Amino acid sequence: MSLKVVFMGTPDFAVPTLAEIVGGGHEVVAVYTRAPAPAGRGMALRPSPVQALAERFGLPVLTPATLRTAEAAETFRGHGADVAVVVAYGMILPPAILDAPPLGCLNLHASILPRWRGAAPIQRAVMAGDAETGVAVMRMEPGLDTGPVAMLERVAITPAMTAGELHDRLMPLGADLMHRALGALERGGLAFTPQPEAGVVYAHKITNEEARIDWAEPAARLHDRVRGLSPFPGAFFLADLGRNPGPERVKVLRAAPAAGEGEPGTLLDAAGTVACGEGALRLLRVQPAGKGVMEAGEFLRGRRLEPGARLAGALPA
């Protein structure tokens, strides 16, 4: 027999899991996602990736602004679901929702719990220079990613891997893991293990200030930051390019550690090597404000930046 599932998710990361659940023969009785948001040049309302897929499948879609009302809880219980599956939904589930499905609420989380609980586990793992991460299926509790873990799959983070590449690697892995977890749950064989008390690390949301490159930091640390923030929101530096009042923001989407030394923030050669507090970082792919992604050499030639130029500046007030 199949399970009756409420699916709760919003971004691209959640799409393969919804597709896997539907393809696995389970009955998705409702899909919860964030409401359509303004996007694009015209700022027209655009449905979330999960909503777009759900509508193609003909599934009922709900986009409540809150789940913390008696009416929201009553609506949720009315679906008669056996289990809820949550993947990057973007809203906190209150106890009335968590307690509604008889088989609980399962969350697919993109980390090796208890390391990197919270909002940005993929980015934080890369920014920290971790050698591995993974995906975990856990039973949700009121605490932030504190519930017991049923299944976990690990994956290596290679030295040049970006957060975007890791995200794309974990998406299908997570979908398959949740498929297997629901199969075990259906058979009554899904066991849960409490998370250890040691090793808890929180993956806080990325702030604009920490996305700014401080060339006084070691090159190895900046390399991890560039990887961890690529492609979004993008680590950036500021440089006076002589085209706009004040320094212009330039995102760095790919870089590599390089040999070299000098005053931090100084362009050392025409290949895009920039001196850091320790060592140097070679720019490979960048995106100036309002422009497309380009090779660093093309950017340097277009802006007539020569060795000795300073790639630094104060944040705008």
Side-chain angles (χ1 to χ4, degrees):
M1 57 177 281
S2 63
L3 295 171
K4 297 179 70 174
V5 179
V6 166
F7 185 84
M8 312 178 82
T10 296
D12 288 325
F13 188 81
V15 167
T17 304
L18 175 58
E20 191 74 31
I21 291 171
V22 173
H26 299 292
E27 181 185 358
V28 179
V29 295
V31 173
Y32 281 67
T33 188
R34 299 302 297 269
R41 290 182 180 272
M43 298 301 285
L45 292 179
R46 180 181 299 173
S48 73
V50 163
Q51 180 173 349
L53 179 63
E55 290 176 346
R56 288 201 295 272
F57 283 144
L59 302 173
V61 175
L62 295 88
T63 59
T66 180
L67 297 173
R68 296 186 175 278
T69 64
E71 181 181 3
E74 183 179 356
T75 298
F76 191 90
R77 288 191 295 268
H79 300 308
D82 300 309
V83 62
V85 172
V86 184
V87 187
Y89 176 39
M91 291 178 65
I92 295 175
L93 275 57
I97 300 294
L98 293 174
D99 296 340
L103 297 180
C105 297
L106 300 184
N107 176 235
L108 178 67
H109 188 73
S111 82
I112 304 173
L113 291 169
R115 184 168 178 81
W116 302 125
R117 294 175 179 174
I122 295 175
Q123 292 164 309
R124 292 294 180 186
V126 179
M127 289 172 69
D130 289 0
E132 67 171 2
T133 187
V135 282
V137 172
M138 54 166 282
R139 185 172 63 222
M140 298 180 72
E141 295 179 344
L144 180 62
D145 299 328
T146 58
V149 174
M151 302 177 74
L152 189 148
E153 196 79 40
R154 297 174 183 269
V155 64
I157 303 176
T158 57
M161 182 179 282
T162 66
E165 292 164 345
L166 179 59
H167 170 278
D168 293 349
R169 174 72 181 90
L170 293 178
M171 277 199 303
L173 194 66
D176 178 69
L177 191 69
M178 183 59 75
H179 171 74
R180 289 188 278 132
L182 290 178
L185 186 68
E186 187 179 1
R187 297 187 299 270
L190 190 63
F192 293 86
T193 302
Q195 293 185 36
E197 297 291 335
V200 175
V201 184
Y202 286 94
H204 299 288
K205 289 183 179 180
I206 307 298
T207 66
N208 183 66
E209 178 59 30
E210 67 182 318
R212 181 193 176 196
I213 293 173
D214 180 356
W215 298 110
E217 293 186 37
R221 186 181 303 166
L222 291 179
H223 180 232
D224 290 338
R225 182 171 302 168
V226 167
R227 295 190 301 123
L229 298 178
S230 178
F232 182 82
F236 68 92
F237 65 86
L238 295 148
D240 187 356
L241 303 177
R243 297 192 176 189
N244 298 304
E248 183 177 340
R249 180 184 296 223
V250 181
K251 290 183 180 181
V252 181
L253 300 178
R254 193 172 290 275
E261 59 180 24
E263 184 69 21
T266 302
L267 184 63
L268 299 178
D269 56 34
T273 305
V274 184
C276 303
E278 294 178 14
L281 194 69
R282 177 163 294 164
L283 308 180
L284 299 177
R285 292 181 68 81
V286 301
Q287 184 177 19
K291 304 291 183 180
V293 178
M294 62 182 69
E295 298 299 318
E298 178 187 357
F299 164 74
L300 294 173
R301 290 190 297 272
R303 297 305 195 275
R304 298 181 180 178
L305 291 171
E306 299 179 349
R310 295 279 296 163
L311 304 185
L315 280 170

